[in-house]
Amino acid sequence: MEHIETTDVLVIGGGLAGERCAIEAVSAGQDVVILSVVPPRRSHSCAAQGGMQAALGNCIKAGGDSPDVHFLDTVRGSDWGADQEVARMFAEEAPIAARELAHMGVPWTRVRPGMNRYFIKGQRVEIDEPAEKAGLIMHRDFGGTAKWRACYAAAGTGHALLYAVDSQVVRLGIDVRDRMEVVALIHEGGRCWGAVARCLRTGRHRAFLARATVIATGGFGRIYGQYTTNATINEGTGASVALDTGIVPLGNMEAIQFHPTVLVPSGILITEGCRGDGGYLLDKNMQRFMVEAEPDKQELASRDVVSRHMMQCMKDGRGVDTPAGQHLWLDLRHLGEKHLTTKLREVWDICRDFVGLNPAKDLIPVRPTQHYSMGGVRVNKDGHAYGMAGLFAAGEAACWDMHGFNRLGGNSLAETIVAGRIVGRSVAKFAAGSSLSVNTALALSCVKDAERRAGDWLGRSGSGPGVYAIRDAIAETMIKRVGIFRDGNELEQAVAELKQSLARVDQAVLRSKVPGMNPELSFALRLKGMARLALVTAMGALARTESRGAHFRRDYPLRDDAGWLNRTLVRWPRDAAEPSFSYEPVGLIDLPPGHRGYGSAERIEMTVPITAYNDRVADGQNAQGRQASDEPIGSRMKWGEH
Amino acid sequence: MASESAQKRRHLRFEIFRYNPEDQESTPQLQSFELDETPYMSLFLALNQIREKQDPSLQFDFACRSAICGSCAMMVNGRPSLACRTLTEDLPELIRLHPLPAFALIGDLSVDTGTWFRAMNERVGAWIHEQQAFDPNAREEPMNDDLAQAIYEGDRCIECGCCVAGCGIANIQPEFYGAAGLNRIARFMMDPRDKREAGDWFEVVSSDEGVFACVGLMACHDICPKELPLLEVHAYLRRRMLVSRIR
Ligand code: SF4
Ligand code: SF4
Ligand code: FES
């Protein structure tokens, strides 16, 4: 049947998480097909710049680092929203992942023995790196970490990782179908059997049946339109098709990261490695405002905290006004041309190519911009989606959930590889232990449904709104009302506007009906999903009456561990007009909630003892549809050993 | 920071190659569009404006829009270029856009570089050929940082295809690895983790598809948007091959 193909494991998304997962499954003897909207080396993983966190502890400033310290930093960074068991598993495996990448050929920057010059908190410092560490993987400083931990390859770390991992995919001969976009999951009775994809060369649909399916489609930053660092392809397809099942919940969709340093006006990321290597943030009077705001961490507080200080600074009239809006300055001049053209080479190129600046001489105009989705398809610690056997998710598309309400810089690259390894193992195991027992009629009817949806778009006529106008309306709502500073009135307004936008999707009309992939139709087919993701993000933010990590409410400025030490789950039951929200405990607590060491120290304390909270975790998560795991909950925790 | 020319508003005229192989009524032709220039307007912005406001059927590829993913290479006034980092202010008022030659056309400005590069990577064996399996309990092998940087330099290729499109040989000899393929070979050849020996390499490099097919006029070197030192790569490979021939 030309409309149906079968495989053992279907991986949706050809970025780092998906490919690393595929490698794991293939190595365990499973047949894998990877579907990707772009050739895999063009995935957004390639745009990660500054580094990958892994506690190898190889340079002097990384001395005393360990997975324990990495775990603590990650939980503090998450503002206690993370699942601490997952954060623990992650931190333990990250050093292995970094070394595995070295084995695959990543040209990590290495320790140079002898005197090295660094910039630390505004001071030029000379440090003697000992000969016995010569040539080991080097680290740089990043925000919110107690140690230098980010392993890096200049400012092209994501690129280097993606090429190394994809080289293994090529070597293993894994079947990658590029320009294939998943439009629906095939599922029945809480069991997923693959997906329907639309070919972006021909516009034709096809079903891929599999015993296990992995969503690894990255984030959904494009619901913020142009106000994001994300690639044009980060439209949240994976989260959308999961939400469309009506069964699988998305976790913490309101947890949206804004990166502090994004180039104005082009919206291109400038890595945190700039500040890690000693760069400053300046206001229009050339004042380092972060030194007053965060005397201890300065520019290297966590991203949510730095972004808020930057926004406040601009609100206080200390920003630089331009026709493209306000911005602040990133100052790298003191790092010198040699450093800038080697260790920060990609930043040098971006400044030269997109704004005609020389960072050795010029200040760089930056402002916070949407960057990362902490939320996503809610999975258990094996990466298995709640409520849907045979469906897995990994990387930014998943809410695993090691980031809670704020991801630390460098933890995303690390997550892709670590989750790829761990989830890949459980995917392979699941696939090996099950057989494909699905009626092809189900697959064919899913293909028919998808064809009918495309046909509906092509059949509509009249004077309805265009798809790009709706996209722009959603983006304006998101950036204005679901941004860095949120409050109840704005969020209510946002929800109202997004409901309107969602309703308008059904009235929208295509301007072009050309056969083939038809770029306008391709976009139209994503639009409803994007509108729904935007709406559940805004509704989740409205419901969460506290401030935690990147979710900051002016009307509820404190973190509330008495009322909100939980994870938001949202489902959109089939044919329901509205999504439904519920909450589960964040997970077992090892490190008790406290002050992060940066940002506000004030908070509302827990009212139940931690033991009582922990006692309820398993029941609370099971009630929400968590899949059973081979290991009991808590088996990876190291209680109180740090 | 805003340059003078960006402030002056120009009226731009585009001539864009159009052909949709999936549409039986489509024939290859040039289509004209007009657009008002805005400050820092890149071809990413310009093409999206044209598609969204003038002709929604226009096909082209962008992903990162920051010159790192390699999706958007096209012929800009006859020169292979990354469209996302090409600013209109650096171009004349008439901008002609064609798809890259040497790659299969998907539609309009969109070409199939993905298939070409996957095949090339398979043929040159573009992965580390190590001898030992990964040991999760072992410390990483040390590497001199200068060597790591040299490998990174070659690793920076984003497989955009500009060098292939601009190469006279690659255009007439589809099997030729192109400058990108030769660069890939050199990158693994200099990496001590790759245990291939001179003899293994000789077969890859000295074949008709390899370095001796190249005529060395170095169009590729001038074209590469990532400024890879392709001149040095060619010299390095020829040197290595001559040495291994003499042995
Ligand atoms: S030197 Fe000339 S022939 Fe050789 S790869 Fe470059 S462009 Fe092609
Ligand atoms: S060598 Fe340069 S021009 Fe050729 S594919 Fe790589 S980045 Fe593009
Ligand atoms: S869009 Fe990625 S290189 Fe141009």
Side-chain angles (χ1 to χ4, degrees), chain A residues 375-425:
Chain A
V377 180
R378 178 63 184 140
V379 296
N380 73 4
K381 67 177 173 180
D382 307 330
H384 210 162
Y386 277 31
M388 184 70 76
L391 181 67
F392 295 78
E396 190 176 351
C399 180
W400 192 20
D401 161 18
M402 54 168 279
H403 306 303
F405 278 76
N406 175 67
R407 170 176 73 74
L408 292 183
N411 263 359
S412 57
L413 278 181
E415 181 188 20
T416 61
I417 304 299
V418 171
R421 288 167 54 92
I422 293 175
V423 179
R425 286 199 286 272

Side-chain angles (χ1 to χ4, degrees), chain B residues 117 157-163 180 224-226 228 230:
Chain B
F117 276 97
C157 166
I158 59 172
E159 301 195 343
C160 63
C162 285
C163 59
C224 175
K226 298 307 278 187
L228 283 151
L230 299 175

Side-chain angles (χ1 to χ4, degrees), chain B residues 44 61-73 82-85 158:
Chain B
F44 166 72
D61 295 318
F62 289 98
C64 72
R65 50 88 172 97
S66 58
I68 180 67
C69 78
S71 293
C72 65
L82 290 180
C84 68
R85 67 150 219 189
I158 59 172

